[in-house]
Amino acid sequence: MKTKNQWASKLGFIMATAGAAIGLGNLWKFPYLMGRNGGASFLAVYLFFICILGIPVMMIEMSLGRRTRHDPVQAYGDINSNARIVGVFGVAAAFLILSYYSVIGGWILKYIVSYASTYQAPEDFTAFISSPVEPVFWHFLFLFVTTVICCFGINGIERVSKVMMPLLFLLLIVIIVRGVTLPNAAEGLRFIFIPNRSAFNMTAVSAALGQVFYSLSLCMGITITYGSYLSDKENIPRSCLSVAGLDTIIALMAGTAIFPAVFSFGLEPGQGPGLIFGTLPKVFSAIRFGPVFALVFFTLVFFAAVTSAIALLEVTVSFALDTMRLSRRTGTILLGTACFLVGIPSALSFGTLGNVTILNYSVFDFVGMITDNILLPMGGVTMCYYIGWKWDPNNLVDEIEKDGIPFKLKKLWILCIRFLTPIMVLVVTLTGFYNIYMTVRG
């Protein structure tokens, strides 16, 4: 067994793991999915899937990481030589996700600098992302910040997370207070929280299932990597519950912060990134002290983005340290540079490479499709197969119950691993392939 550095405190571990899960998707996608798919009804189904999919899978990864003290590829290799493919799916997904995620992170930095220096957003969002130089520069800068933090190892990750996560919470409260005091803000709250039976159907159930899978960063190798730094004395079920709870609370707070303003100004809520970068700046420009609130908002978005980016890079760094025996600084710089280079086509896919398509996807969307619809679900399916059937899940029960920690729901957990979770992951996988088919078909 490999000896690794460990988290200095339980709070630092929880903040870092929650920060890995809380990202851009929490700030706009989850609240939008709630509003579009039945409001409170969608939330109830989402919480159900958190319990029978999200937390069980997170516990698998966290306990496997702590048991093996290895990166995702080697961790699965320790239980079965053929299971290394599960870790390969996760590491590859983490690397590719970061390559395009940092492009959006660069946009955030651009907006922060713009509001801090000119008190307004860039004049034209479309012109900015179409530029042949600017998106690449800000993509580089975001990855540079991420790489520097990762160079300091888990101590750097823990220190940054313990500052950024509480600040994210406080900044969200500031934006919430301003948002709910706008005229007609109640329409935005109604959009998110009021049950809408006509909008709740099997599509909504599928959306809730998929959001759990992506919101908690499952099968990306993040929880295995962070779990490998975890003390034997930590209560894994309680830690997973804390992370899932924080993730959901922040997502609900984000909806309460953003959508009252969206509806107050009669804007379209389903725009995705365009909502944050194209529409919300118009809202800020129309309210008193708008530039101040805009700067606060994009700062909190940056905190959410960078904590997730750090976790994604740490997955690949951990793999490099285990496999190639590089020093942390060398491995981190090499992988950060490689991620920057791989992400350049995504950064240019809205301008210079705007006419380049792969299977009817832009370069940016194609990389996202590969990770979301293929690597992550396939990692989930193979994980359940090897952990649930080729290996004995009771081995992980022993890890969870180490140091006398009781695990009263272990029989239900094993049932989820062997039957319920694989079925749900398979649904996500088939849905992903169906979406690919429909896009290619045109």
Side-chain angles (χ1 to χ4, degrees), residues 15 18-19 22 160-169 250 307:
M15 290 295 100
I22 297 167
V160 168
S161 299
K162 287 171 72 172
V163 172
M164 286 189 172
M165 291 307 297
L167 281 177
L168 186 150
F169 184 81
I250 292 294
T307 49

Side-chain angles (χ1 to χ4, degrees), residues 146-351:
T146 303
T147 302
V148 168
I149 295 171
C150 280
C151 278
F152 290 94
I154 64 169
N155 290 331
I157 296 170
E158 185 170 355
R159 288 173 183 173
V160 168
S161 299
K162 287 171 72 172
V163 172
M164 286 189 172
M165 291 307 297
L167 281 177
L168 186 150
F169 184 81
L170 292 175
L171 294 177
L172 267 176
I173 292 177
V174 172
I175 298 296
I176 287 172
V177 171
R178 186 65 188 97
V180 298
T181 56
L182 292 171
N184 301 318
E187 291 298 319
L189 299 177
R190 190 174 294 112
F191 174 77
I192 301 172
F193 293 110
I194 299 300
N196 183 356
R197 294 183 180 180
S198 63
F200 185 74
N201 49 35
M202 286 307 299
T203 301
V205 173
S206 178
L209 182 57
Q211 180 63 15
V212 167
F213 195 82
Y214 304 121
S215 178
L216 294 180
S217 301
L218 304 180
C219 301
M220 298 179 190
I222 291 174
T223 311
I224 291 178
T225 302
Y226 279 15
S228 70
Y229 306 131
L230 189 61
S231 165
D232 289 339
K233 296 181 179 181
E234 295 299 335
N235 187 315
I236 288 178
R238 188 175 299 168
S239 296
C240 292
L241 186 62
S242 298
V243 172
L246 280 173
D247 182 75
T248 303
I249 289 171
I250 292 294
L252 292 172
M253 289 179 66
T256 308
I258 294 173
F259 286 94
V262 171
F263 277 81
S264 178
F265 285 82
L267 303 172
E268 172 55 46
Q271 299 177 56
L275 174 67
I276 295 177
F277 298 103
T279 302
L280 283 182
K282 298 177 182 177
V283 174
F284 291 126
S285 67
I287 63 177
R288 191 177 183 184
F289 304 116
V292 175
F293 287 105
L295 185 58
V296 169
F297 174 77
F298 282 102
T299 300
L300 77 86
V301 175
F302 171 74
F303 288 167
V306 79
T307 49
S308 295
I310 291 167
L312 292 167
L313 182 56
E314 182 63 18
V315 170
T316 60
V317 169
S318 178
F319 171 70
L321 297 183
D322 277 1
T323 305
M324 294 179 277
R325 307 300 180 186
L326 300 173
S327 69
R328 167 166 284 276
R329 180 169 297 182
T330 300
T332 304
I333 292 173
L334 286 176
L335 285 164
T337 302
C339 197
F340 164 69
L341 295 174
V342 171
I344 289 176
S346 293
L348 297 176
S349 65
F350 301 93

